[in-house]
């Protein structure tokens, strides 16, 4: 694999731990939105060279010099290579091996593209439009802010200084070390950072309020919010203050910085970014307004905070060697976010939800013929953005959970400590993590796990059974599972950690073994004829199970009696429908099973899964009109009992998951065109709109959806007005999401135009359009728009920010 620049660096600057001094001055004046900068890099030249290559793009390099220690400055001529995003410095005479300083002075535009060093627009309390300056460097955009070797393995310490207007907040990774007033500006010098990668450097300049606290081990935590909204930072503050010492204890590795700031940015492409000591968030992912934030959003915020703070160790202290190993960062943080949320909020039942949020999503995408392995060779930087996807995040997180179960928490923890301490302030690859966990557990971690990271896909375990006296003989076989076709010719084999449970104790795995052959026979002793055998209890394994009809029938009574735990009920349902989807089982089998659940099921996560299958089937019937009506009637009958149980209004002291369930079930009934539900929703909307009874936040999405589904132009316009005047980003997000369900093509087209207008921030346009693309009418319109206005879209947005968050938000 050619990694171009780092090869080049390694040859010449073997000592990667160089010091970088960056001075930046953003000009935030309304008319000149630029920045000036100076960078000094301390390097060690190992081999004589007359050329040095650095990363730089869209920077105006004004002067470049190299000064050997005790020597004379030598100016360089600079050749920019836009394609490679590099600048090649050529010196008149070769630089001999030495220690020296590379100096750059440069300027750039504070761009509008949400990457590099960019501007973010906000309204001051007096109503004036102003700009802040923000950085977003992951993966390869530090080079847009200063010349550097912009690769995760080229680590350095950073001394950042900023020159800012006197009345602005200015933040960076470290606390301020010194401050000097210069006319109406301030020069802030920040403390030196630990050795770190360029993609984690951050700077924010703007106007913010904050709330603060100190963790029990002395780390200062602040949550910065828009001016006047500091109350909205309190929930994240509480989470962060508790989660930081939780990780310190779990990993037994101290957080090495004196502070951690979390800040809500008005224009932000991703959901959140883990810059060391200065974590940036889109407002939706950080701010909680008690009257307007849903229970679901609060839960997501807790997970997001937990995710980014996990990166402070896993990613920031120990960084992947190269982007091929990105999944290590993202998969791991996606696993650990649930660990800390479970610790803080046991009532969220987050490990159950993990299965719909990560395992089901990972399995779904990885069942595609054109999936990819968790580890992807990255040759050109342009390929990096593509792998921030469900495979890296959710398959990654799911196989880590599978491994955690396989080796147990104690050995997992010991292994993590070993990994973090061995590679701290340095870089690591997947193999290094396996080595540490193998060492701590003395189990064949590397051998088992490499089958899950090196190739795409996962197996379906086909299982049948035969009762012989008081024993049961199970035949298990594996082959790659594909959602669209039989993978007959695919010879892939996995080492599959298999667990089994039986009627004797459905809550405990009675058998654990690793299936490595294509077929294996397992005997279960002392089991009665007719007792069930459940494969994959707890849905820890990243695979599908295809039971014989007889085995499935034996499981049904344990579903209705809820003798089987929720994750097993969910696993059976999701596996059966996946088999239906792939053509391995008749659709009627799936529907029969669903009816069984409808009578007795009361678990939120199981219902969430069931609702998502209703949505998938419903969208299939868009192509079979004659089936649509009967299917919707069937789906309404499935939802009837639970909806009657929950009603519309929250019951005092009800559980967190019942609140989530109510909103989900009402939304499904709206989707299934239930007249009574839609009528009630419209009545409640009217009362909300005229101010007689404000809708609780949890009910707003299903109600907006009901109102918008058959909206006319005036209701659409009303919603646009609500969007414009909404003070909370979450409310805007909700409105635009519901707009995606409008049926009238003319209104859908209007919604696309609205998405492209200045009413919608650039960061949200792509979401609004993709919500519209959820429906059959919408997808054609969105596609037509995109192809017709391709150039405008490219000019306005550059590369579209990835859409992963959508799945994160709604599934
Ligand atoms: N490191 C990512 C942010 C990121 C994503 C930067 C893509 C550049 C490109 C961060 O840790 C992350 O995963 N953010 C998530 C939210 C999180 C709760 C899963 C995101 O932005 O979707
Ligand atoms: Zn992440």
């Amino acid at each position: 694999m050619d990694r171009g620049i780092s090869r080049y660096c390694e040859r010449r600057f073997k000592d990667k731990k160089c010091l970088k001094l960056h001075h930046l001055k953003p000009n935030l004046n309304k008319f000149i939105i630029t920045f000036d900068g100076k960078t000094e890099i301390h390097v060690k030249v190992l081999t004589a060279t007359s050329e040095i290559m650095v990363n730089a793009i869209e920077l105006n390099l004004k002067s470049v010099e190299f000064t050997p220690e005790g020597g004379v400055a030598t100016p360089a001529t600079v050749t920019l290579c836009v394609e490679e995003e590099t600048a090649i410095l050529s010196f008149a005479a070769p630089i001999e091996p030495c220690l020296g300083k590379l100096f750059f002075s440069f300027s750039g535009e504070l761009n509008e593209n949400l990457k590099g060093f960019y501007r973010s627009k906000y309204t001051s309390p007096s109503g004036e439009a102003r700009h802040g300056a923000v950085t977003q460097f992951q993966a390869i955009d530090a080079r847009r802010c200063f010349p550097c070797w912009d690769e995760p393995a080229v680590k350095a310490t950073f001394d950042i200084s900023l020159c800012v207007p006197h009345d602005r907040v200015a933040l960076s990774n470290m606390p301020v070390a010194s401050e000097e007033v210069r006319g109406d500006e301030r020069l802030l010098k920040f403390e030196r950072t630990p050795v770190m990668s360029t993609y984690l450097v951050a700077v924010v300049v703007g106007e913010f309020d904050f709330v603060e606290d100190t963790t029990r081990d002395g780390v200062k935590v602040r949550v910065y919010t828009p001016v006047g909204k500091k109350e909205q930072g309190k929930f994240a503050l509480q989470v962060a203050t508790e989660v930081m010492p939780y990780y310190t204890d779990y990993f037994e590795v101290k957080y090495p910085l004196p502070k951690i700031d979390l800040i809500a940015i008005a224009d932000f492409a991703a959901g959140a970014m883990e810059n060391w000591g200065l974590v940036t968030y889109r407002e939706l992912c950080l701010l909680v307004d008690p009257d307007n934030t849903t229970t679901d959003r609060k839960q997501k915020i807790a997970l997001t905070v937990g995710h980014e703070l996990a990166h402070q160790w896993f990613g920031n202290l120990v960084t992947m060697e190269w982007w091929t190993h990105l999944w290590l960062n993202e998969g791991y943080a996606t696993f650990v976010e649930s660990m800390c949320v479970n610790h803080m909020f046991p009532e969220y039942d987050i490990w159950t939800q993990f299965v719909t949020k990560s395992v089901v999503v990972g399995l779904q995408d990885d069942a595609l013929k054109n999936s990819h392995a968790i580890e992807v060779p990255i040759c050109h930087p342009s390929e990096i953005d593509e792998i921030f996807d469900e495979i890296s995040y959710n398959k990654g997180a799911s196989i880590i959970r599978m491994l955690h179960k396989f080796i147990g928490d104690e050995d997992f923890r010991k292994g993590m400590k070993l990994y973090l301490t061995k590679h701290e302030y340095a870089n690591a690859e997947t193999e290094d993590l396996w080595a540490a966990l193998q060492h701590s557990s003395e189990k064949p971690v590397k051998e088992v796990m490499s089958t899950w990271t090196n190739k795409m896909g996962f197996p379906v375990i086909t299982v049948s059974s035969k009762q012989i006296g008081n024993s049961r003989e199970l035949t298990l076989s594996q082959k790659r599972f594909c959602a669209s076709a039989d993978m007959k010719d695919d010879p892939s084999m996995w080492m599959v950690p298999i667990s089994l449970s039986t009627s004797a104790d459905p809550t405990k795995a009675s058998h654990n073994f690793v299936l490595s052959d294509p077929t294996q026979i397992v005997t279960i002793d002392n089991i009665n004829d007719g007792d069930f055998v459940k494969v994959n209890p707890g849905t820890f394994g990243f695979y599908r199970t295809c039971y014989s009809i007889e085995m499935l029938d034996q499981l049904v009574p344990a579903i209705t009696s809820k003798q089987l735990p929720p994750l097993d009920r969910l696993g059976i349902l999701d596996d059966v429908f996946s088999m239906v989807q792939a053509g391995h089982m008749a659709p009627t089998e799936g529907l029969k099973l669903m009816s069984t659940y409808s009578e007795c099921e009361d678990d939120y996560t199981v219902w969430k899964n069931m609702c998502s299958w209703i949505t998938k089937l419903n969208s299939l019937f868009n192509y079979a009109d004659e089936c649509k009506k009967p299917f919707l009637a069937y789906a309404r009958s499935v939802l009837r009992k639970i909806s009657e149980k929950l009603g519309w209004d929250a019951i005092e002291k009800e559980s967190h998951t019942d609140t989530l369930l109510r909103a989900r079930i009402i939304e499904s009934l709206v989707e299934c065109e239930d007249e009574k539900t839609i009528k009630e929703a419209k009545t409640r909307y009217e009362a909300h709109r005229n101010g007689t009874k404000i809708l609780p936040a949890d009910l707003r999405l299903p109600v907006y959806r009901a109102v918008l589904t058959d909206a006319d132009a005036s209701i659409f316009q009303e919603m646009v007005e609500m969007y414009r005047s909404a003070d909370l980003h979450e409310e805007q997000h909700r409105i635009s999401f519901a707009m995606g369900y409008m049926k009238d093509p003319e209104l859908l087209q209007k919604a696309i135009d609205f998405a492209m207008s200045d009413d919608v921030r650039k960061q949200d346009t792509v979401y609004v359009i993709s919500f519209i693309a959820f429906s059959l009418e919408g997808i054609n319109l969105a596609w037509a728009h995109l192809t017709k206005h391709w150039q405008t879209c490219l000019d306005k947005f550059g590369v579209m920010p990835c859409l992963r968050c959508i799945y994160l938000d709604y599934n």
Side-chain angles (χ1 to χ4, degrees):
M1 181 175 40
D2 182 15
R3 293 178 23 198
I5 191 151
S6 73
R7 289 259 169 84
Y8 196 98
C9 291
E10 273 159 21
R11 235 179 17 243
R12 286 171 171 74
F13 309 115
K14 197 72 200 152
D15 183 4
K16 293 183 208 160
K17 304 213 163 56
C18 46
L19 167 72
K20 298 188 184 171
L21 298 147
H22 294 294
H23 173 74
L24 295 167
K25 181 174 185 244
N27 304 310
L28 297 166
N29 180 306
K30 253 191 208 155
F31 303 106
I32 352 164
I33 304 199
T34 57
F35 65 95
D36 299 308
K38 287 181 191 147
T39 287
E40 187 181 293
I41 311 178
H42 295 194
V43 294
K44 185 175 181 181
V45 180
L46 296 179
T47 327
T49 181
S50 50
E51 262 186 12
I52 295 175
M53 180 159 74
V54 295
N55 285 117
I57 175 93
E58 288 178 9
L59 287 179
N60 170 20
L61 299 181
K62 294 195 266 195
S63 72
V64 185
E65 274 173 3
F66 181 79
T67 315
E69 215 168 56
V72 184
T74 330
T77 56
V78 179
T79 316
L80 294 174
C81 178
V82 175
E83 185 83 347
E84 294 297 321
E85 306 187 352
T86 54
I88 296 170
L89 322 178
S90 308
F91 298 91
I95 299 172
E96 294 303 322
C98 65
L99 290 174
K101 289 176 187 168
L102 197 52
F103 176 83
F104 299 85
S105 122
F106 54 92
S107 63
E109 186 198 4
L110 274 177
N111 70 69
E112 283 188 286
N113 301 329
L114 313 171
K115 60 185 182 185
F117 201 15
Y118 70 91
R119 62 180 110 150
S120 172
K121 201 169 169 180
Y122 61 95
T123 314
S124 74
S126 62
E128 190 192 334
R130 290 193 187 152
H131 286 107
V134 185
T135 57
Q136 168 58 43
F137 289 168
Q138 195 178 19
I140 48 163
D141 292 316
R143 62 193 67 175
R144 293 175 186 276
C145 183
F146 45 72
C148 57
W149 294 284
D150 197 9
E151 298 197 358
V154 188
K155 289 199 175 189
T157 61
F158 292 79
D159 290 358
I160 306 279
S161 66
L162 288 173
C163 188
V164 298
H166 69 95
D167 59 348
R168 299 295 146 101
V169 173
L171 302 167
S172 186
N173 307 79
M174 297 297 285
V176 172
S178 73
E179 189 173 334
E180 202 183 291
V181 177
R182 292 186 169 178
D184 59 359
E185 290 182 331
R186 289 185 303 153
L187 173 65
L188 300 173
K189 290 189 176 157
F190 295 88
E191 287 176 23
R192 178 167 299 170
T193 70
V195 169
M196 62 187 278
S197 308
T198 46
Y199 81 90
L200 295 166
V201 173
V203 158
V204 177
V205 181
E207 288 168 278
F208 301 93
D209 281 345
F210 66 82
V211 283
E212 67 181 333
D213 203 345
T214 305
T215 66
R216 60 181 148 82
D217 51 357
V219 178
K220 289 218 160 78
V221 187
R222 279 186 181 180
V223 176
Y224 285 86
T225 70
V227 173
K229 293 187 176 175
K230 68 177 175 189
E231 293 298 309
Q232 295 181 9
K234 280 189 167 165
F235 178 71
L237 181 70
Q238 181 209 345
V239 176
T241 312
E242 201 169 319
V243 161
M244 289 297 285
Y246 171 80
Y247 286 141
T248 303
D249 291 350
Y250 191 82
F251 300 132
E252 289 184 56
V253 177
K254 220 176 141 278
Y255 174 67
L257 274 54
K259 64 100 176 172
I260 179 100
D261 293 327
L262 294 78
I263 186 164
I265 306 290
D267 294 287
F268 194 77
M273 175 64 211
E274 70 266 25
N275 315 298
W276 215 355
L278 177 54
V279 185
T280 41
Y281 295 81
R282 59 166 57 207
E283 291 183 359
L284 175 72
C285 296
L286 189 70
L287 303 180
V288 171
D289 169 358
D291 292 333
N292 294 295
T293 296
T294 62
T295 308
D296 187 43
R297 175 54 53 197
K298 233 172 121 170
Q299 186 184 286
K300 284 186 174 110
I301 289 173
L303 287 166
T304 309
V305 170
H307 178 106
E308 304 311 332
L309 297 185
H311 280 315
Q312 306 301 306
W313 284 259
F314 213 96
N316 301 6
L317 182 64
V318 178
T319 311
M320 73 251 134
E321 173 70 25
W322 180 241
W323 299 109
T324 296
H325 305 277
L326 170 84
W327 86 275
L328 263 187
N329 264 16
E330 299 304 349
Y332 188 83
T334 303
F335 169 72
V336 180
E337 68 186 35
S338 291
M339 208 141 89
C340 72
V341 167
N342 185 52
H343 165 80
M344 271 197 85
F345 305 103
E347 71 278 17
Y348 286 9
D349 189 21
I350 209 71
W351 279 121
T352 306
Q353 295 193 51
F354 180 93
V355 173
T356 42
K357 189 179 82 70
S358 287
V359 182
V360 166
V361 173
L363 287 170
Q364 192 176 292
D365 280 23
D366 206 26
L368 300 176
K369 253 198 221 162
N370 57 346
S371 181
H372 65 81
I374 278 187
E375 283 191 356
V376 198
I378 297 287
C379 298
H380 193 271
S382 63
E383 297 163 11
I384 301 170
D385 272 354
E386 294 174 21
I387 57 168
F388 283 89
D389 65 0
E390 303 305 345
I391 301 298
S392 303
Y393 279 73
N394 288 321
K395 181 179 183 181
S398 302
I399 67 160
I400 290 175
R401 175 170 167 271
M402 177 166 77
L403 173 64
H404 179 265
K405 184 72 182 170
F406 181 59
I407 67 174
D409 189 59
E410 202 183 320
D411 289 341
F412 185 83
R413 225 164 144 148
K414 277 191 207 147
M416 288 317 304
K417 182 182 175 187
L418 189 68
Y419 170 85
L420 289 172
T421 42
K422 186 163 177 202
H423 304 286
E424 61 182 3
Y425 304 108
N427 299 76
E429 301 187 347
T430 308
E431 301 273 301
D432 298 313
L433 181 62
W434 299 159
L437 295 166
Q438 177 146 334
H439 184 85
S440 66
S441 67
E442 296 177 357
K443 288 207 168 125
V445 171
K446 187 173 156 338
E447 200 189 351
V448 170
M449 293 311 287
S450 55
T451 66
W452 297 92
T453 52
N454 294 345
K455 55 172 168 266
M456 67 170 132
F458 59 86
V460 50
I461 309 295
T462 305
V463 50
S464 59
S465 73
K466 200 158 79 190
Q467 183 78 15
I468 307 170
N470 67 344
S471 298
R472 186 84 55 88
E473 195 181 272
L474 293 191
T475 307
L476 300 114
S477 57
Q478 61 160 311
K479 74 168 183 228
R480 183 172 166 204
F481 179 76
C482 182
S484 57
D486 206 5
M487 301 300 285
K488 272 203 190 77
D489 304 331
D490 194 316
S492 301
M493 285 290 131
W494 285 262
M495 291 193 69
V496 194
I498 303 261
S499 302
L500 306 174
S501 66
T502 69
S503 309
D505 186 355
T507 60
K508 224 177 101 213
S510 56
H511 293 70
N512 294 298
F513 55 94
V514 175
L515 171 70
S516 47
D517 296 328
T519 301
Q520 192 174 327
I521 293 177
V522 179
T523 306
I524 299 174
D525 293 323
N526 301 323
I527 178 165
N528 299 324
D529 196 7
D531 278 3
F532 72 75
V533 176
K534 167 76 179 52
V535 180
N536 202 9
T539 318
F540 286 100
F542 192 75
Y543 57 86
R544 294 269 178 219
T545 307
C546 183
Y547 295 99
S548 66
I549 292 292
E550 186 197 11
M551 287 184 79
L552 192 57
D553 284 346
Q554 286 166 345
L555 285 163
V556 169
I559 296 170
T560 40
S561 66
K562 287 188 271 173
Q563 204 190 343
L564 273 168
L567 279 180
D568 292 308
R569 308 201 294 269
L570 190 158
I572 293 168
L573 186 89
D574 201 57
D575 279 345
V576 164
F577 272 98
S578 300
M579 293 310 131
V580 170
Q581 188 179 37
H584 299 314
M585 267 173 123
T588 44
E589 291 296 331
L591 297 179
K592 238 164 57 193
L593 187 68
M594 200 180 259
S595 300
T596 312
Y597 281 76
S598 79
E599 279 311 302
C600 53
E601 191 53 66
D602 57 4
D603 183 87
Y604 164 61
T605 313
V606 180
W607 270 111
K608 196 173 173 196
N609 189 256
M610 201 136 62
C611 292
S612 81
W613 282 110
I614 290 178
T615 302
K616 277 182 215 154
L617 289 164
N618 189 16
S619 57
L620 265 186
F621 291 131
N622 283 336
Y623 299 91
D625 244 1
E626 69 285 6
C627 301
K628 182 124 180 150
K629 273 208 163 129
F631 173 73
L632 290 180
Y634 164 77
R636 287 193 296 268
S637 74
V638 166
L639 295 161
R640 181 77 56 223
K641 193 163 174 193
I642 189 75
S643 71
E644 280 166 5
K645 185 177 161 210
L646 291 163
W648 273 83
D649 297 306
I651 300 156
E652 216 184 318
K653 296 217 175 89
E654 71 181 4
S655 70
H656 172 88
T657 47
D658 270 357
T659 311
L660 296 176
L661 180 58
R662 177 179 302 102
R664 189 67 197 85
I665 296 293
I666 296 178
E667 199 189 336
S668 269
L669 280 168
V670 170
E671 176 186 349
C672 296
E673 300 172 12
D674 184 62
E675 277 174 26
K676 203 171 135 213
T677 309
I678 292 172
K679 192 162 164 252
E680 179 67 20
K682 287 184 174 168
T683 312
R684 288 182 182 241
Y685 174 74
E686 191 46 38
H688 176 70
R689 199 185 62 93
N690 66 29
T692 48
K693 192 166 182 225
I694 299 300
L695 273 167
D698 285 313
L699 291 183
R700 284 191 209 162
L701 177 62
V703 166
Y704 293 173
R705 183 169 172 176
V707 170
L708 277 163
T709 303
D710 57 5
D712 58 15
S714 81
I715 294 209
F716 172 70
Q717 201 46 43
E718 203 171 281
M719 286 286 183
V720 167
E721 288 310 323
M722 261 168 71
Y723 185 102
R724 283 195 187 122
S725 60
D727 194 33
L728 187 70
H729 185 207
E730 179 186 334
E731 182 69 10
Q732 295 187 320
H733 190 71
R734 188 154 46 227
I735 295 168
S736 61
F737 183 74
M739 278 179 182
Y741 293 104
M742 294 189 302
K743 290 225 172 92
D744 182 344
E746 247 175 65
L747 294 182
L748 284 167
Q749 184 56 50
K750 276 195 173 164
I752 293 176
D753 299 340
F754 169 66
M756 298 295 290
S757 74
D758 288 342
D759 284 329
V760 176
R761 285 183 189 259
K762 231 181 196 189
Q763 61 163 8
D764 297 320
T765 300
V766 67
Y767 293 100
V768 181
I769 293 185
S770 60
F771 297 151
I772 290 161
F774 277 2
S775 70
L776 188 60
E777 297 86 2
I779 199 164
N780 292 327
L781 289 170
W783 181 245
H785 179 88
L786 210 63
T787 43
K788 190 165 166 205
H789 302 283
W790 183 242
Q791 197 53 46
T792 323
C793 289
L794 266 187
D795 293 346
K796 185 165 174 189
F797 302 108
V799 176
M800 294 268 186
C802 77
L803 287 179
R804 223 185 51 76
C805 296
I806 290 176
Y807 294 99
L808 246 166
D809 284 352
Y810 300 101
N811 62 53

